[in-house]
């Protein structure tokens, strides 16, 4: 029996029950069932020298990894020494070997353990288990992604949507700002608000001036969705790509704003905003102009929902078949992963 069932027919479907957001047990289960089986954002490949330590999903999975770049390849290894568990590389650096600073175990850049002082008498050393684990890893449009145990290959997660975004120029993007927002709400409430433009006229008065509500569209794919907002001339004002469960790529005339949603607790979420600019002269134009104001408006409404779903009079809702396809699709994926 699946834990949650969301009818594939949006006209008949009911939204996720309030328990999913309020019961701490479901928060715990979603860590392994959803986040450990998905892909995670690791920034731009051109930001790396040879070795760059990183953390997969800080605050929830907290997995220490090491991105390795050579002239021939790029990969992602465990950043934990296979001897007694020290973090191997603490700062980005250039190196031709990885050497643990605790007792001197040495690894090649491909993760193979090659030597260790005082281990001459150890039976069968080094063995396969002394090598650093290699994580599933992918690079797309210059952005890097890794997973712990993803249910599907990265291309299955994004390729059907990526075809729609083939015309987007990703060369020359520069990370110009990073900022983390703290939201007092469940991570899925934050995501499902992002996944519909239904609320724009009610919540975002400024944004509503530049996005034509009538022509707003949502397309759903296997693990992702794209929302497109047009301006009054019928030109694309913004495109919003969501990759399940927590990555948002917002395409504006000036470049890409990447949002990574990080669950911290059942009613606490952090959202990293990474601003990748291609054309600074367009920063103050249209739907990509005042993202901070839009974010605060979204946070206020999402935090209000967090209060509301605790009510004993709220169990679940229904969907608008014309305006909430993205949210319905997201809930279906949650139900699928939580099985
Ligand atoms: S923990 Fe790395 S060598 Fe001992
Ligand atoms: Fe919004």
């Amino acid at each position: 029996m699946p834990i949650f069932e969301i009818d594939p027919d949006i006209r008949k479907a009911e939204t996720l029950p309030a328990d999913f957001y309020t019961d701490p047990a479901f928060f715990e289960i979603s860590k392994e069932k959803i986040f450990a089986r998905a892909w995670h954002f690791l920034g731009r490949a051109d930001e790396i020298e040879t070795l760059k330590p990183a953390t997969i999903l800080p605050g929830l999975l907290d997995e220490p990894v090491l991105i390795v770049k050579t002239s021939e390849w790029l990969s992602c290894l465990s950043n934990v020494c296979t001897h007694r568990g020290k973090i191997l590389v603490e700062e980005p650096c250039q190196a031709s070997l990885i050497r643990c600073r605790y007792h001197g175990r040495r690894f090649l850049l491909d993760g193979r353990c090659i030597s260790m002082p005082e281990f001459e008498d150890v039976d069968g050393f080094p063995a396969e288990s002394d090598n650093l684990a290699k994580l599933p890893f992918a690079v797309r449009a210059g952005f890097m992604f890794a997973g712990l145990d993803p249910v599907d290959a990265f291309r299955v997660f994004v390729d059907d949507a990526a075809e729609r975004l083939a015309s987007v120029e990703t060369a020359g993007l520069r990370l110009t700002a990073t900022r983390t927002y703290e939201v007092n709400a469940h991570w899925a409430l934050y995501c499902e608000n992002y996944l519909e433009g239904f609320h724009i006229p009610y919540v975002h008065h400024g944004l509503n001036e530049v996005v034509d509500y009538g022509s707003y569209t949502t397309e759903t794919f296997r693990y992702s969705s794209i929302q497109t907002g047009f301006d009054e001339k019928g030109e694309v004002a913004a495109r919003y790509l969501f990759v399940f469960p927590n990555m948002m790529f917002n395409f504006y005339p000036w470049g890409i704003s990447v949002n990574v949603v990080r669950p911290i607790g059942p009613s606490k979420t952090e959202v990293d905003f990474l601003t990748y600019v291609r054309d600074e002269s367009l920063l103050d134009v249209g739907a990509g102009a005042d993202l901070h104001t839009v974010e605060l408006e979204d946070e206020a409404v999402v935090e209000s929902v967090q209060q509301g779903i605790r009510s004993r009079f709220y169990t679940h809702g229904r969907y608008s078949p014309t305006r909430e396809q993205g949210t319905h699709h997201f809930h279906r994926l949650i139900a699928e992963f939580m099985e």
Side-chain angles (χ1 to χ4, degrees), residues 10-50:
I10 192 169
R11 296 165 306 166
K12 298 197 175 83
E14 293 177 344
T15 64
L16 276 175
D19 293 356
F20 173 72
Y21 310 93
T22 55
D23 187 338
F26 288 134
F27 182 83
E28 250 339 282
I29 296 171
S30 62
K31 188 167 156 178
E32 290 309 315
K33 293 262 187 179
I34 297 177
F35 290 94
R37 299 198 296 151
W39 287 88
H40 297 283
F41 184 77
L42 285 176
R44 298 247 350 131
D46 55 15
E47 291 162 3
I48 299 174
E49 294 187 51
T50 317

Side-chain angles (χ1 to χ4, degrees), residues 81 83-86 100 102-105 116:
C81 182
H83 175 223
R84 296 238 311 275
K86 190 187 175 300
C100 181
Y102 199 1
H103 317 95
R105 182 169 287 205
M116 169 112 191

Side-chain angles (χ1 to χ4, degrees), residues 20 46 49-50 105 116 131 158 192 228 232 259 286 300 313:
F20 173 72
D46 55 15
E49 294 187 51
T50 317
R105 182 169 287 205
M116 169 112 191
N131 298 338
V158 298
E192 62 196 48
T228 308
E232 76 282 4
N259 311 150
F313 300 110

